[in-house]
């Protein structure tokens, strides 16, 4: 099955892989190819905090608003791109789950901004809320999600449970009384006295108020984001991994595949970026290079052999690397594998990305 066949039948594509393997470049290239071939607009969302997507597409992305990508020569459908900004994404989730009055009080709370900006795994949770909004808009035929590097790529699956557990913890229930009132027992009062001295009475009051307010909106937020996490694990989503042919990078990919398997998911396709060009995969090329380098039964004259022998040694080395890469590629955990040859210069503009996307579209 080709990448085209995989993508045509889905509305969500999750692109995952280690840092530095061209994941964002592949996401952008697939987005361009999809916009050229599919009926309906395409959105590329990047959760990766680096600005590679904006740089690759040559556009300025600010906040979570989708920006249309101007493509020279046009495309069949429109292409949009957006980058996760966790703070505004949290704001949007709160506004969707709370009444205007409660939302205003939450966002005016001094603790809220710190939580929204620095909460552990908060980016993953914000990404789900952001994706929920994009799906609910019903604007896009296809959404491509460019995830963070592999060690964090699947954290958003667990983010709803983490948030629910955090806001529903026994300590916070003890502080807030579980019913929107501050516990007035002796132990709680002692804790409050100490907290007042350490944090300041006003800040501690803001902490309690923050959790009281959030307890009224977290259940709906968790429900919505859990539904999105389920969509990502559903039949309408495809997982595409990007890797280099290096053995250590492939090992990380295999660990990611194991993590997917624990969720009863698999990679639908793997894109191997940076393989040796096709010429080095030919057995005849290796044979000729070996004979020329060794000056054994060379098809060339002695003078010619002397001239090309250094180059033949280089060709022989690259052919051997290509053979090793073939073994690695054959072991990859996916039925569909596409390869991108090692280039002197990676695509750095729309035209280069479009060529890469067209190359990938029918591979597999």
């Amino acid at each position: 099955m080709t990448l085209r066949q995989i993508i045509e039948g889905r509305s969500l594509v999750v692109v995952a892989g280690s840092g530095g393997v061209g994941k964002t470049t592949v996401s952008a290239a697939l987005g361009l190819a999809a916009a050229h071939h599919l009926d309906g607009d395409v959105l590329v969302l990047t959760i990766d905090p680096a600005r590679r997507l904006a740089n690759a597409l040559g556009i300025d992305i600010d906040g979570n608003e989708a920006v249309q990508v101007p493509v020279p020569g046009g495309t069949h459908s429109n292409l949009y791109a957006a980058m996760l900004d966790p703070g505004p994404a949290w704001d949007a989730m709160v506004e969707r789950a709370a009444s205007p009055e409660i939302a205003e009080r939450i966002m005016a709370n001094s603790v809220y901004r710190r939580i929204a900006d620095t909460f552990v795994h908060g980016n993953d949770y914000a990404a789900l809320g952001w994706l929920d909004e994009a799906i609910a808009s019903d604007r896009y035929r296809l959404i491509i999600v460019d995830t963070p590097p592999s060690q964090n790529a699947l954290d958003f699956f667990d983010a709803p449970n983490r948030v629910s557990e955090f806001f529903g913890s026994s300590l916070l229930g003890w502080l807030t009384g579980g019913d929107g009132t501050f516990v007035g027992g002796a132990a709680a009062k002692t804790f409050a006295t100490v907290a007042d001295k350490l944090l300041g009475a006003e800040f501690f009051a803001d902490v309690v108020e923050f959790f009281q307010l959030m307890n009224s909106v977290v259940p709906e937020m968790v429900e919505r984001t859990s539904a999105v996490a389920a969509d990502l694990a559903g039949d309408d989503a495809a997982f595409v991994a990007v890797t280099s042919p290096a053995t250590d990078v492939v090992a990380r990919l295999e660990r990611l595949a194991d993590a997917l398997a624990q969720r009863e998911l698999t990679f639908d396709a793997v894109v191997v970026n940076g393989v040796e060009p096709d010429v080095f995969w030919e057995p005849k090329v290796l044979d000729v290079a070996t004979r020329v380098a060794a000056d054994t039964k060379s098809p060339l004259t002695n003078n010619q052999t002397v001239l090309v022998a250094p180059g033949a040694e280089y060709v022989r080395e690259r052919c051997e690397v290509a053979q090793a890469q073939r073994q690695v590629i054959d072991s990859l955990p996916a039925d569909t594998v596409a390869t991108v040859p090692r280039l002197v210069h990676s695509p750095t503009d729309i035209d280069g990305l479009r060529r890469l996307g067209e190359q990938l579209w029918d591979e597999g």
Side-chain angles (χ1 to χ4, degrees), residues 4 30 33 58 73-74 163 173 177 207 300 339:
R4 176 178 190 156
L30 289 177
V163 169
V207 170
L300 305 175
T339 58

Side-chain angles (χ1 to χ4, degrees), residues 96-131:
R96 294 181 71 179
S99 67
E101 179 186 356
I102 295 297
E104 184 178 355
R105 289 178 62 191
I106 289 173
M107 286 185 280
N109 186 281
S110 65
V111 178
Y112 169 75
R113 189 82 277 147
R114 302 186 191 191
I115 290 289
D117 291 339
T118 62
F119 182 56
V120 177
H121 301 297
N123 283 17
D124 308 311
Y125 192 72
L128 287 174
W130 184 42
L131 187 55

Side-chain angles (χ1 to χ4, degrees), residues 235-247:
D235 294 336
D236 202 30
F239 277 82
V240 176
V242 182
T243 184
S244 79
T247 53

Side-chain angles (χ1 to χ4, degrees), residues 86-304:
W90 271 90
D91 292 349
M93 284 191 292
V94 169
E95 289 172 342
R96 294 181 71 179
S99 67
E101 179 186 356
I102 295 297
E104 184 178 355
R105 289 178 62 191
I106 289 173
M107 286 185 280
N109 186 281
S110 65
V111 178
Y112 169 75
R113 189 82 277 147
R114 302 186 191 191
I115 290 289
D117 291 339
T118 62
F119 182 56
V120 177
H121 301 297
N123 283 17
D124 308 311
Y125 192 72
L128 287 174
W130 184 42
L131 187 55
D132 172 50
E133 194 170 353
I135 293 172
S137 72
D138 204 27
R139 289 178 55 191
Y140 305 106
R141 161 64 179 82
L142 176 70
I143 298 175
I144 298 175
V145 183
D146 171 35
T147 65
S150 57
Q151 61 268 29
N152 306 113
L154 303 182
D155 283 349
F156 47 68
F157 280 112
D158 304 319
N161 286 338
R162 290 196 182 101
V163 169
S164 182
E165 290 169 1
F166 177 72
F167 284 100
S169 70
S170 57
L171 171 61
L172 298 177
W174 180 70
L175 285 175
T176 61
D179 60 358
T181 61
F182 182 72
V183 173
K189 289 179 179 178
T190 300
F191 178 84
T193 299
V194 174
D196 282 352
K197 292 179 180 178
L198 292 175
L199 304 175
E202 183 177 346
F203 181 74
F204 181 66
D206 282 350
V207 170
V208 175
E209 181 196 44
F210 168 71
F211 285 107
Q212 289 172 343
L213 292 170
M214 288 299 291
N215 277 335
S216 68
V217 298
V218 163
E220 182 176 341
M221 290 169 60
V222 169
E223 181 180 358
R224 298 182 72 99
T225 51
S226 295
V228 177
D231 287 342
L232 291 171
D235 294 336
D236 202 30
F239 277 82
V240 176
V242 182
T243 184
S244 79
T247 53
D248 59 327
V249 178
V250 171
R252 290 197 291 273
L253 179 68
E254 290 171 346
R255 290 194 290 271
L256 182 58
D258 291 340
L260 273 178
Q262 293 175 9
R263 296 174 169 85
E264 299 182 349
L265 299 169
T266 58
F267 285 124
D268 295 275
V270 175
V271 176
V272 187
N273 190 20
V275 302
E276 292 298 320
D278 291 345
V279 65
F280 297 127
W281 296 78
E282 293 291 336
K284 289 182 179 179
V285 173
L286 174 61
D287 176 62
V288 171
T290 300
R291 286 189 287 131
V292 170
D295 195 19
T296 304
K297 297 182 179 179
S298 170
L300 305 175
T301 66
N302 289 338
N303 288 340
Q304 290 172 327

